[in-house]
Amino acid sequence: MTLQIPSDFELGVATAAWQIEGDLAGRGRSIWDDFAEIPGAIVDGATGDPACDHVHRLEEDLDLLAWLAVDAYRFSFSWPRVMPTGSGPTSPEGLGFYDRLVDGLLERGITPVATLYHWDLPSLLESAGGWPARDTAYRFADYAQVVAERFADRVDRWATLNEPWCSAFLGYCSGTFAPGRSDAGDSLAAIYHLILGHGLAVERLRAAQARNVGIVLNLIPVVADDLSMEPVVRHIDGLQNRIVLDLLAGRGVPADLRESCASVTDWAFVRDEDTPVLSAPIDWLGENYYTIYRVAPVGEADADAIGQETAAIPACPPMRFAPREPLTDMGWEILPSGLESALRMATDALPGVPLWVCENGAAIPEVTDETGIHDQVRTDYVRDHLEVLMRMREKGFDIRGYYVWSLLDNLEWASGWTKKFGIVRVDPATGERTVKDSARWYRSLIAERG
Ligand code: IFM
């Protein structure tokens, strides 16, 4: 199939604050700065400064976006850059940086799409209890209000949270992500309070006249490798997908999950009166899709797929993740058709809500020679997923746009610099940017769009 993208389909690229910004001197600390100081927590010992030194290379990065001629750029505000202590006074320098970013995008004809929380909780709020504590949701709403009041006139689309599953379960259950805590009950309280924070923030964004308010999830289709695994699939699907979709849809915590997690929590943090807040209407939903979960009986050795760890699943029954080849460098199975399953889940739960794919891309081996950086597997990956989207649109799904993850090679969280997702290479030692083949291909796709 020749990939034909209609002119009204938005093409963009995405990044996140902690992964690219650097400039720790210009902001407060976050849980990721603290986590990076724990020996071994980040495989190569990388820290959030300089990262891609984006704060000091802003003009260069804006010019890269203009060269790509993307319609939209998805970035995240760093909560501790805006409010260094997480609540209370804002930082004029921090807000000024985002003024320059947003205005620079608009000057170049690029639509700013902002995420308010991409995992960098201010350290002081973690000391006060973090996401397992209800109060964090209210602090998040206050922060959302400040940002919305300043930027609602210029940011076109808002996401409250990015992938709350990762914040809750990698952060508080397996502890493989910041803040590195391992308590299954706390992780369930965390996911609930993240969605509560989302709902409270939606109200504040609307009050500040923000346009297009939504949330970005990582819905992951769960597939049984063996019929005996069906009950396990339901449990994992409940934690990965249904708990968030059901809260957003006003259905509360799924009944089967209340039961299957009873050994790790009494769910005392759930309050009936929260339902209207949790299910505040949204204007759009973002899906970050990379892979599926394939669930197999225990027995053979566990696969080495990042984030696919039984320790991240509260009350996990005996099982293992068994991704099949082809795999990316993350150990993630490449399965473009899974994107359709993920988007169907979203549409089934929240009918009528338009969809964007807010992240999709691959960490893969690259070949560098005197002619350039050759990353054909990444180009194929992006093209194959876009083909799935075009077919879904023909079937009538309301899918409005797609963002490649990521513009730049960046700090891949606990994997540091060891996994590269960028369509532009960043040399971690010098910060030098070099365009890869996939970026040239994406640029021509945008230029040749119908
Ligand atoms: O790098 C991350 C991003 O921050 C969130 N979504 C998945 C990406 C790849 O792991």
Side-chain angles (χ1 to χ4, degrees):
M1 167 184 174
T2 324
L3 184 56
Q4 284 192 327
I5 312 276
S7 53
D8 64 347
F9 187 80
E10 192 174 85
L11 290 173
V13 288
T15 62
W18 191 81
Q19 292 179 276
I20 67 164
E21 284 183 358
D23 184 39
L24 180 50
R27 62 166 169 83
R29 289 181 69 85
S30 79
I31 52 174
W32 275 94
D33 301 311
D34 301 334
F35 190 67
E37 285 180 357
I38 302 171
I42 294 194
V43 288
D44 58 357
T47 59
D49 197 5
C52 300
D53 204 19
H54 171 66
V55 167
H56 300 117
R57 290 175 173 262
L58 179 62
E59 288 299 313
E60 182 182 353
D61 291 342
L62 287 167
D63 288 344
L64 261 176
L65 291 163
W67 173 81
L68 279 165
V70 284
D71 303 313
Y73 174 57
R74 174 174 177 248
F75 66 96
S76 76
F77 285 97
S78 156
W79 186 347
R81 189 176 297 285
V82 170
M83 278 183 164
T85 56
S87 52
T90 55
S91 155
E93 295 76 27
L95 288 166
F97 167 70
Y98 293 112
D99 278 331
R100 293 202 304 284
L101 168 59
V102 170
D103 292 345
L105 290 169
L106 292 172
E107 279 156 21
R108 289 163 177 81
I110 299 168
T111 300
V113 177
T115 305
L116 283 164
Y117 184 71
H118 198 124
W119 309 351
D120 44 357
L121 185 70
S123 299
L124 286 177
L125 294 184
E126 173 57 25
S127 310
W131 286 110
R134 188 175 170 96
D135 193 56
T136 303
Y138 295 98
R139 302 289 72 76
F140 177 63
D142 292 345
Y143 152 70
Q145 178 176 339
V146 165
V147 180
E149 284 174 354
R150 176 99 166 202
F151 295 96
D153 58 339
R154 287 165 287 162
V155 166
D156 190 60
R157 196 147 6 92
W158 294 84
T160 51
L161 307 176
N162 179 75
E163 301 180 23
W165 181 88
C166 297
S167 302
F169 297 110
L170 298 178
Y172 293 95
C173 193
S174 66
T176 46
F177 273 17
R181 282 162 59 181
S182 312
D183 182 304
D186 278 353
S187 71
L188 290 164
I191 194 73
Y192 183 83
H193 294 137
L194 278 151
I195 304 304
L196 181 66
H198 150 82
L200 294 165
V202 169
E203 291 171 358
R204 305 290 185 92
L205 285 155
R206 298 229 186 269
Q209 317 285 323
R211 302 182 291 272
N212 302 319
V213 177
I215 184 169
V216 176
L217 307 177
N218 58 329
L219 302 171
I220 302 187
V222 190
V223 172
D225 224 27
D226 173 317
L227 273 186
S228 68
M229 300 312 285
E230 288 297 347
V232 180
V233 165
R234 182 136 182 89
H235 184 71
I236 295 176
D237 175 54
L239 290 159
Q240 181 74 43
N241 306 314
R242 288 183 293 118
I243 188 168
V244 172
L245 289 173
D246 282 8
L247 290 173
L248 293 177
R251 291 194 286 266
V253 176
D256 62 299
L257 218 54
R258 281 193 184 244
E259 219 176 289
S260 59
C261 292
S263 59
V264 296
T265 183
D266 60 6
W267 299 98
F269 48 85
V270 175
R271 297 188 190 171
D272 288 346
E273 66 270 24
D274 291 337
T275 303
V277 180
L278 294 157
S279 60
I282 51 174
D283 304 317
W284 66 285
L285 185 89
E287 157 67 0
N288 293 350
Y289 177 79
Y290 294 90
T291 191
I292 61 159
Y293 286 155
R294 203 177 283 282
V295 171
V298 278
E300 294 159 42
D302 284 347
D304 194 12
I306 290 168
Q308 299 190 11
E309 38 197 86
T310 54
I313 300 166
C316 190
M319 59 147 288
R320 70 190 168 93
F321 288 102
R324 289 192 191 155
E325 296 200 341
L327 305 175
T328 66
D329 280 357
M330 300 291 278
W332 295 345
E333 177 169 341
I334 300 177
L335 192 69
S337 62
L339 176 55
E340 172 154 355
S341 316
L343 293 175
R344 279 180 184 274
M345 273 186 230
T347 300
D348 290 348
L350 298 164
V353 175
L355 303 172
W356 265 260
V357 172
C358 283
E359 288 181 24
N360 177 245
I364 47 111
E366 302 164 351
V367 177
T368 305
D369 61 23
E370 63 289 348
T371 63
I373 305 170
H374 309 303
D375 57 343
Q376 187 60 40
V377 177
R378 178 173 293 115
T379 298
D380 293 346
Y381 183 100
V382 170
R383 195 202 44 238
D384 292 349
H385 287 80
L386 276 168
E387 281 179 0
V388 169
L389 294 183
M390 293 307 112
R391 282 197 293 268
M392 287 188 75
R393 275 172 57 104
E394 279 163 21
K395 291 181 208 162
F397 285 87
D398 187 4
I399 305 165
R400 307 264 178 105
Y402 172 95
Y403 304 140
V404 169
W405 183 269
S406 181
L407 171 67
L408 304 172
D409 286 343
N410 58 49
L411 282 185
E412 179 50 33
W413 306 108
S415 302
W417 286 102
T418 66
K419 309 290 179 207
K420 317 253 190 227
F421 280 86
I423 58 173
V424 175
R425 174 173 290 176
V426 174
D427 181 330
T430 63
E432 189 190 353
R433 276 78 167 135
T434 314
V435 164
K436 302 180 191 176
D437 287 355
S438 56
R440 294 185 206 283
W441 173 82
Y442 199 51
R443 180 175 187 254
S444 14
L445 183 77
I446 296 168
E448 287 158 15
R449 195 164 28 160

